[in-house]
């Protein structure tokens, strides 16, 4: 999924005076979303101390979206599904891949084979794709750890 949600932010930026300070809501320290944001900030040499509300945190994507929808912040870093659920604008910034990690011996079990069968089913993939912001095309495909790290831009 991609990350960033906003509540009419572009309109606010166009209508407000130049002194308007955008209010941000963050995810909690240690979350993958927070780590992605901090990596992007470092890569672009942006000091988080200059972000109004950087220290304000929520624990879920839905909570970030609800915070913005309640007009307690103007923008946050989250997923498209949560933004749409709360009627917010969404601007994609980054795309992530998620992996369901399993031990090789567990992969062979009957229960895991059933789970993989469900994950690969057309119905499951259709449901995931309907959430918005997700592409389930590769869902259920087995990758080795070596292949995964070859896919990741380090």
């Amino acid at each position: 999924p991609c990350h960033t949600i906003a509540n009419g932010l572009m309109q606010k930026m166009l209508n407000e005076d130049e002194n308007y300070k955008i209010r941000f809501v963050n995810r909690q320290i240690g979350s993958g979303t927070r780590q992605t944001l901090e990596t992007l900030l470092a890569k672009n040499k942006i000091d988080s101390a200059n972000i109004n509300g950087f220290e304000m945190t929520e624990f879920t994507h839905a909570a970030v979206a609800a915070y913005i929808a309640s007009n307690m912040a103007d923008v946050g870093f989250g997923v498209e599904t949560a933004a749409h659920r709360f009627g917010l604008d969404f601007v994609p910034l980054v795309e992530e891949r998620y992996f369901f990690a399993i031990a090789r011996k567990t992969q062979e079990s009957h229960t895991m084979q059933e789970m993989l069968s469900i994950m690969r089913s057309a119905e499951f993939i259709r449901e995931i794709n309907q959430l918005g912001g997700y592409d389930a095309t590769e869902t259920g495909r087995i990758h080795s750890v070596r292949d995964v790290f070859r896919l990741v831009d380090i």
Side-chain angles (χ1 to χ4, degrees), residues 118-133:
I118 291 168
M119 291 171 69
R120 292 172 177 146
S121 73
E123 181 182 1
F124 184 83
I125 290 171
R126 187 173 44 258
E127 289 294 322
I128 297 296
N129 286 335
Q130 287 179 0
L131 292 173

Side-chain angles (χ1 to χ4, degrees), residues 88-122:
L88 304 175
D89 298 334
F90 181 82
V91 180
L93 293 179
V94 66
E95 196 170 290
E96 292 181 304
R97 293 188 69 181
Y98 288 89
F99 295 94
F100 182 68
I102 55 177
R104 190 175 303 253
K105 66 179 180 178
T106 304
Q107 177 186 331
E108 314 281 323
S109 76
H110 176 70
T111 303
M112 187 52 62
Q113 288 302 309
E114 286 182 16
M115 176 99 151
L116 288 169
S117 178
I118 291 168
M119 291 171 69
R120 292 172 177 146
S121 73

Side-chain angles (χ1 to χ4, degrees), residues 7-133:
N7 189 12
L9 183 59
M10 295 306 291
Q11 196 61 39
K12 283 184 180 186
M13 288 169 51
L14 294 172
N15 292 337
E16 299 289 341
D17 68 64
E18 60 206 38
N19 296 319
Y20 181 72
K21 189 100 163 149
I22 302 293
R23 298 168 301 157
F24 182 77
V25 60
N26 208 346
R27 287 293 305 277
Q28 81 277 14
I29 293 171
S31 71
T33 300
R34 173 81 172 247
Q35 290 173 348
T36 300
L37 174 61
E38 289 175 349
T39 299
L40 289 171
L41 293 175
K43 197 174 198 178
N44 290 283
K45 298 177 177 45
I46 297 171
D47 184 354
S48 63
N50 295 328
I51 299 173
N52 181 29
F54 191 81
E55 67 290 341
M56 178 54 66
T57 62
E58 290 293 338
F59 284 92
T60 67
H61 293 290
V64 167
Y67 201 87
I68 296 165
S70 299
N71 201 30
M72 297 182 340
D74 301 302
V75 67
F77 205 60
V79 296
E80 186 175 353
T81 303
H84 290 180
R85 186 174 296 141
F86 286 88
L88 304 175
D89 298 334
F90 181 82
V91 180
L93 293 179
V94 66
E95 196 170 290
E96 292 181 304
R97 293 188 69 181
Y98 288 89
F99 295 94
F100 182 68
I102 55 177
R104 190 175 303 253
K105 66 179 180 178
T106 304
Q107 177 186 331
E108 314 281 323
S109 76
H110 176 70
T111 303
M112 187 52 62
Q113 288 302 309
E114 286 182 16
M115 176 99 151
L116 288 169
S117 178
I118 291 168
M119 291 171 69
R120 292 172 177 146
S121 73
E123 181 182 1
F124 184 83
I125 290 171
R126 187 173 44 258
E127 289 294 322
I128 297 296
N129 286 335
Q130 287 179 0
L131 292 173

